[in-house]
Amino acid sequence: MPDVLVPAARVERWIANFETRHGDTALSVVDGVLSGSAADGSRFTARLPLGAAYDGPAEAAGLAGAAASAAPDDWGVLLVRKGGFAVARMSGATMGASKTGQRHVQGRTKAGGQSQQRFARRRDNQARQAYEAAADHAARILDGLAGPVVVGGDRTAVDEVLADRRLAGLGTVEPWLALPDPRRGVLEQGVADALSLRVEVHNA
């Protein structure tokens, strides 16, 4: 099943609720991940945000504390879809420089023949201009970034932007942020998701 994103402030409650539902749960730490195995055979794995490895005690409180401090001093978020982009430079949980932008990219047409071809070329040009604008702002805001970047939106659009040579030095980490057309509120949600633990659950 898909990963569940759990904010650091809620992880202790989440693990307690898991134990309530599935019975006594044994916790262990393996390869930087906290795992739980319940009496009914259900299990979970919880990963720290931004690719960080957990090396603390096998307990919920330790994991919560590590998650709260997992964000590095310099990292970024980049969201791109055909209809817009959002980019932010982060210091821990604090947002620094950021930019959101919207670009008009026409939808599909039912026209055929040469009209359809002209429409497709215009649409491709609009999308390329949107990606170039996203790359320009990402190169400015994330210049010299020391930490990782969390990306999301549309995978093809993100790949197009990251192909810009100015962004070649950026390293991306999970989670992938499956978010709608970027606006300020969507960017803020993306930051919150990036700072959450990724928990994978297997119910018996």
Side-chain angles (χ1 to χ4, degrees):
M1 65 181 297
D3 291 350
V4 178
L5 296 177
V6 181
R10 288 175 45 204
V11 69
E12 290 186 75
R13 173 69 63 85
W14 189 95
I15 292 175
N17 288 342
F18 178 90
E19 188 163 23
T20 298
R21 291 192 303 271
H22 300 289
D24 290 343
T25 300
L27 302 179
S28 61
V29 179
V30 180
D31 295 332
V33 176
L34 181 77
S35 297
S37 180
D40 71 351
S42 299
R43 63 189 192 278
F44 72 86
T45 57
R47 300 177 185 275
L48 289 177
L50 301 163
Y54 179 62
D55 59 2
E59 60 181 34
L63 182 69
S69 59
D73 291 335
D74 192 24
W75 62 285
V77 176
L78 175 63
L79 310 174
V80 191
R81 298 188 71 89
K82 283 188 176 179
F85 68 89
V87 58
R89 189 161 188 155
M90 304 291 302
S91 177
T94 302
M95 187 182 299
S98 67
K99 176 67 177 179
T100 59
Q102 284 75 50
R103 289 290 179 120
H104 175 67
V105 178
Q106 290 179 296
R108 299 186 181 278
T109 180
K110 295 181 180 180
Q114 290 184 338
S115 293
Q116 187 176 27
Q117 293 172 5
R118 286 195 301 270
F119 180 89
R121 285 195 298 271
R122 186 182 310 119
R123 191 168 184 267
D124 288 345
N125 287 337
Q126 289 171 339
R128 186 172 63 254
Q129 290 170 2
Y131 300 153
E132 288 173 354
D136 287 344
H137 289 289
R140 174 178 59 83
I141 291 173
L142 303 179
D143 181 46
L145 191 74
V149 177
V150 178
V151 297
D154 175 78
R155 292 184 186 274
T156 299
V158 170
D159 288 346
E160 289 280 350
V161 173
L162 290 179
D164 189 291
R165 58 181 177 78
R166 295 171 296 176
L167 305 178
L170 296 179
T172 61
V173 293
E174 296 289 339
W176 171 266
L177 302 175
L179 293 169
D181 280 351
R183 302 290 192 271
R184 181 70 184 187
V186 174
L187 174 59
E188 291 171 351
Q189 182 62 54
V191 169
D193 289 351
L195 292 172
S196 296
L197 294 95
R198 290 187 296 128
V199 182
E200 184 177 351
V201 182
H202 298 274
N203 291 315

